[in-house]
Amino acid sequence: MPIITIFGANGSQGTAVLEAILADGKYTPRAVSRSLDSAGSKALIAKGVEVVVGNLWDKESVKSAIRGSEAVFGNTNFWDPEIWPADPEGKGEITQGKNLVDAAKEEGVKFFIYSSLPNATKDSKGVYKHIYHVDNKAVIEEYLRASGVPCAMLLTGYFAENMWKVGAMQKTDTGYHIPVSGFAPEDPQSMTWVANELGQAAVALLNNYKDPSKGVLGKSYPVVTFKCTFPEFAAAIAKAINKEVKFTPLETTGVQEFDEMYAYQAKVGMYHDTPIPNPDLVALGVKFGTRDEFIQKEIVPRFA
């Protein structure tokens, strides 16, 4: 079977893609890790997944990791401890992204799926210009498009899994609360159920990119599961787990990058021109979940 090499295979996005590739069975996933001795690498190897060493700082190691692959799933991590917070603008993320693109081009990759984000500075007409982890991905996307490597982009919203993965839903004396800066009670948030949606979307692009009638190449696909306000989300969770859950608006998170990110998401909005679920992905076979399905499957077992 043809190989798709997956970067960030131990992260939320890479794991979702890898699991979906295994379930689909038309491609062989190859996971890239900085070390074969990490717990994540060992777990993948135990599952029978090929794991190879690659470091995005080192283009030659990336070329070696990619070699022989038909496709690549690439994402970059602004929050890599080797990048942020020492470099507040995270320019190393752009360096890593360009290394990945250059390696894919030099190895003759036939299809590159990149996990991208919009350009917040342009979207907000310069109001929010310090959201580097968002804008950097847009810069890398532009570089990928200019490289000539056949590609498509998957764009995510706020990760619904943040409720437990980064502690966005916090315990209180009477239940839980969801503290967020930048959002008024009436501001909607676009949320992505990464584990359910992103892998499906990647598989759909892989299985259709060779068909010109599908129009996959060069296209950007927002992957948004649902949109709602935080009070609506909190109320739906409270009903499902039979515990108090409240939205708590914050003045600040204490980190400018986060404060501007939330303000941008609340006041400008992400992917407001794309219907939910994305009809282009639905047409390619992606079966989106719903907010309530996410709550029942992911929230209830963890918080009830």
Side-chain angles (χ1 to χ4, degrees):
M1 287 189 293
I3 296 169
I4 175 169
T5 297
I6 300 168
F7 288 80
N10 287 312
S12 296
Q13 297 187 62
T15 296
V17 171
L18 189 145
E19 294 291 345
I21 295 294
L22 287 172
D24 184 61
K26 297 185 184 70
Y27 281 77
T28 298
R30 175 190 290 165
V32 182
S33 174
R34 290 184 183 181
S35 170
L36 299 183
D37 294 324
S38 71
S41 294
K42 288 179 178 178
L44 289 173
I45 293 167
K47 288 176 64 172
V49 175
E50 180 189 10
V51 182
V52 297
V53 173
N55 189 323
L56 289 175
W57 294 113
D58 176 3
K59 188 182 76 171
E60 290 305 313
S61 81
V62 177
K63 287 175 63 176
S64 178
I66 289 172
R67 194 157 295 139
S69 301
E70 176 179 315
V72 164
F73 174 79
N75 61 356
T76 51
N77 183 14
F78 174 91
W79 311 109
D80 181 340
E82 293 185 12
I83 297 174
W84 187 89
D87 174 11
E89 296 184 13
K91 293 186 185 300
E93 180 183 21
I94 297 173
T95 299
Q96 290 186 352
K98 289 182 175 181
N99 281 342
L100 180 50
V101 171
D102 290 345
K105 182 172 184 176
E106 291 171 29
E107 288 300 319
V109 166
K110 294 181 173 61
F111 186 48
F112 192 128
I113 303 171
Y114 181 59
S115 176
S116 191
L117 288 169
N119 188 310
T121 299
K122 289 182 181 177
D123 271 2
S124 68
K125 297 180 172 56
V127 174
Y128 304 114
K129 55 188 178 184
H130 304 103
I131 319 176
Y132 302 110
H133 75 282
V134 172
D135 284 358
N136 289 357
K137 291 174 180 61
V139 170
I140 295 164
E141 176 184 331
E142 289 180 9
Y143 189 80
L144 173 57
R145 290 181 181 279
S147 74
V149 177
C151 61
M153 317 301 160
L154 293 174
L155 296 92
T156 56
Y158 179 85
F159 287 11
E161 287 95 335
N162 282 351
M163 291 302 111
W164 66 91
K165 288 200 170 180
V166 299
M169 188 165 148
Q170 299 177 6
K171 194 165 181 56
T172 66
D173 291 340
T174 54
Y176 296 92
H177 76 141
I178 303 172
V180 186
S181 73
F183 274 80
E186 67 273 13
D187 294 328
Q189 175 65 293
S190 297
M191 302 199 192
T192 302
W193 183 1
V194 177
N196 195 65
E197 258 68 279
L198 196 71
Q200 283 194 74
V203 166
L205 301 190
L206 269 177
N207 289 338
N208 289 282
Y209 85 90
K210 295 177 185 176
D211 183 349
S213 72
K214 302 295 186 182
V216 167
L217 294 180
K219 194 164 183 176
S220 293
Y221 294 86
V223 185
V224 178
T225 310
F226 59 92
K227 182 183 288 188
C228 65
T229 68
F230 279 105
E232 289 169 343
F233 194 35
I237 293 171
K239 183 178 179 180
I241 67 173
N242 198 29
K243 295 179 182 177
E244 180 185 81
V245 184
K246 292 184 176 180
F247 162 63
T248 304
L250 298 179
E251 287 293 323
T252 178
T253 63
V255 178
Q256 183 183 30
E257 180 89 15
F258 289 136
D259 285 349
E260 283 206 19
M261 175 192 75
Y262 285 123
Y264 161 66
Q265 292 170 346
K267 306 310 176 188
V268 178
M270 301 178 75
Y271 323 125
H272 41 266
D273 294 332
T274 302
I276 298 171
N278 186 331
D280 294 331
L281 288 173
V282 171
L284 295 177
V286 176
K287 293 177 171 36
F288 281 82
T290 65
R291 182 191 69 188
D292 289 345
E293 287 171 345
F294 168 77
I295 291 171
Q296 286 300 321
K297 184 171 181 179
E298 304 281 19
I299 296 289
V300 170
R302 290 177 170 88
F303 293 94

